[in-house]
Amino acid sequence: MPASQITHLECSNCGEDFDHHDAHRTCPSCGKVLFARYDLDRAAATLTRKSLTGRRPDMWRYREIMPVIDDANIITLGEGYTPILHAPRLGGTIGLKNLLIKDEGLNPTGSFKARGLSAAVSKAKELGKTALTMPSAGNAAGAMSAYAAVAGMEANVFMPADAPSANKNECIAYGARLVLVDGFITDAGALSAKAAEERDLFDVSTLREPYRAEGKKTMGLEIAEQLDWTVPDVILYPTGGGTGIVGIWKALDELERMGLMGSERPRMVSVQAEGCSPIVNAFEAGADHAEPIKNPHTLAAGMRVPAAIGDYLILQAVRESGGTAIRVSDDEILEGTAEMARLEGIFPAPEGGAIWAATKKLVDQGTIGRDERVLLINTGSALKYMDVLGPLFEVNA
Ligand SMILES: *Cc1c(COP(=O)(O)O)cnc(C)c1O
């Protein structure tokens, strides 16, 4: 396999550089998000359209611009390279001629979190870490636990006690130490941070270490490659912590710098739930940072993130792309989830249903044209959400 061309870590806020051989999490100077940087000229010498055709069908095919140096440290379950499906029946209901769905529900552990955690756990191993921790109420916990199991590492999960049983059970099944917390995700976060401090655990929370975003960026690389080095007009993405949008935006920049595509970009749409929409609020207010939400609520747990450390990066990507940010209600989410299942055979996580609900609104408003090529990223499978999708089955009964 070709080599990783990682050169250093760079702060996305203050611009200071740091050594990637050190286990930095956030920027030691300003506390913001660190990005992995690569020698893209050297990467471009071997990462070509042609060389890609013979490579492994998972996210590690983009080896030169992945952060792990020694192949032996790659912890993989075959994540990534998910299909982009045409959705003519769903699109047809609103006159959209060119609707595409990238189905991330097909990833190991049933969500795109697998990408981020494959990269983060691999890199933690490379940095000599043996024990991980994370606060999570959902898919990230299961993904971390699974990859820790493959790596033979210890996984600690701090989870609100009212999290869905599927999320608790999969952590236990993968051998993680699960601590149920009476309180919100922020309370779980405080306990995880305390444990990290006391027991030297490596904290792999969203954008609080540099490598989950590297895993998630592969969605952007795949979109370009799978659409034959073009990009859609619009990409809709459900936003929680924001690694997805931030990663895709970073990926397209790297592809352009490597000469694999031009300066064309999709309009990035950030979708959030009415009960938790800090990014939409900030977008509408013209602000660079988001105000935390006090009492976040939505059945789509992946979007129930009251404050995101990468808020400024999400807002930058949305604005630079000429995109927008939009809220949907839980009822609209349930309806969107049901329609995707009934018309396209994709039973999406409610976060996936949310972006279809948002698409309908934006087409209705004229923000998305009916002739445009629109890509929805269905971030997960419904199968872990049976507790919260109950109302859906009543509607259909
Ligand atoms: C975590 C999660 C999200 C939010 O993703 P971010 O990249 O953190 O914004 C969306 N959908 C699902 C299913 C998730 O698990």
Side-chain angles (χ1 to χ4, degrees):
M1 268 200 275
S4 172
Q5 298 299 340
I6 187 169
T7 51
H8 62 285
L9 295 170
E10 183 187 22
C11 178
S12 62
N13 179 55
C14 72
E16 202 176 320
D17 290 348
F18 300 94
D19 190 343
H20 64 279
H21 297 96
D22 297 333
H24 289 299
R25 295 183 49 245
T26 51
C27 175
S29 296
C30 75
K32 295 292 187 181
V33 177
L34 291 175
F35 277 156
R37 294 299 185 198
Y38 302 84
D39 183 333
L40 293 173
D41 291 334
R42 290 189 64 170
T46 51
L47 184 61
T48 59
R49 292 180 184 192
K50 193 154 172 269
S51 76
L52 276 170
T53 55
R55 293 195 185 185
R56 53 194 288 172
D58 65 34
M59 73 172 196
W60 295 95
R61 64 198 273 103
Y62 309 104
R63 190 70 187 86
E64 292 89 337
I65 50 172
M66 293 298 280
V68 176
I69 296 163
D70 183 349
D71 288 346
N73 291 325
I74 294 178
I75 306 298
T76 180
L77 287 164
E79 55 291 325
Y81 220 58
T82 55
I84 293 180
L85 304 163
H86 288 269
R89 298 193 69 215
L90 191 63
T93 60
I94 54 168
L96 256 188
K97 295 178 192 69
N98 220 336
L99 181 66
L100 303 170
I101 302 176
K102 186 161 179 63
D103 191 7
E104 292 291 301
L106 298 173
N107 274 302
T109 71
S111 88
F112 77 129
K113 291 288 193 303
R115 296 180 189 261
L117 272 308
S118 174
V121 173
S122 299
K123 197 62 193 178
K125 183 175 183 231
E126 185 153 273
L127 292 167
K129 303 294 175 187
T130 56
L132 308 171
T133 185
M134 172 196 286
S136 168
N139 291 318
M144 177 182 75
S145 303
Y147 286 96
V150 192
M153 290 163 83
E154 177 189 318
N156 295 270
V157 175
F158 292 81
M159 188 177 279
D162 61 1
S165 56
N167 296 110
K168 294 178 196 164
N169 291 344
E170 67 172 342
C171 294
I172 297 167
Y174 293 130
R177 297 186 183 185
L178 177 64
V179 180
L180 294 177
V181 179
D182 257 328
F184 295 113
I185 185 71
T186 37
D187 302 308
L191 286 174
S192 173
K194 189 159 167 271
E197 183 90 26
E198 286 170 3
R199 296 183 36 222
D200 192 26
L201 308 175
F202 194 63
D203 188 330
V204 288
S205 305
T206 298
L207 290 177
R208 291 185 188 276
E209 59 75 58
Y211 302 110
R212 276 174 68 179
E214 293 304 291
K216 294 248 185 115
K217 87 177 177 189
T218 58
M219 285 185 288
L221 304 175
E222 288 174 21
I223 290 167
E225 186 190 357
Q226 291 173 320
L227 296 179
D228 208 12
W229 305 104
T230 65
V231 289
D233 296 302
V234 186
I235 294 180
L236 289 102
Y237 201 93
T239 307
T243 30
I245 282 199
V246 170
I248 291 171
W249 200 242
K250 182 175 189 281
L252 298 179
D253 182 56
E254 290 175 354
L255 288 178
E256 184 181 354
R257 286 167 198 261
M258 288 192 295
L260 282 164
M261 61 174 264
S263 60
E264 65 280 7
R265 291 290 183 277
R267 306 201 297 285
M268 303 294 294
V269 177
S270 166
V271 179
Q272 296 197 304
E274 280 180 358
C276 184
S277 55
I279 299 298
V280 188
N281 295 347
F283 180 78
E284 288 173 350
D288 295 334
H289 288 271
E291 292 295 326
I293 301 294
K294 291 213 173 55
N295 179 25
H297 56 92
T298 167
L299 58 85
M303 301 193 294
R304 206 189 301 135
V305 178
I309 180 177
D311 54 1
Y312 61 106
L313 297 169
I314 304 168
L315 289 159
Q316 262 169 32
V318 170
R319 290 199 176 109
E320 278 174 25
S321 74
T324 189
I326 183 170
R327 303 176 188 81
V328 290
S329 71
D330 276 11
D331 283 346
E332 290 167 334
I333 290 176
L334 286 174
E335 190 184 79
T337 303
E339 286 174 357
M340 279 173 79
R342 199 168 61 236
L343 293 169
E344 296 294 347
I346 296 169
F347 194 11
E351 294 84 352
I355 53 174
W356 168 239
T359 305
K360 289 192 285 183
K361 285 188 164 178
L362 292 170
V363 167
D364 203 44
Q365 289 169 12
T367 310
I368 294 177
R370 291 192 164 79
D371 291 326
E372 291 196 292
R373 190 159 62 151
V374 178
L375 178 76
L376 313 186
I377 301 195
N378 172 41
T379 45
S381 155
L383 296 177
K384 282 198 252 176
Y385 293 79
M386 291 305 156
D387 301 8
V388 293
L389 288 175
L392 184 68
F393 303 115
E394 280 162 35
V395 170
N396 277 347

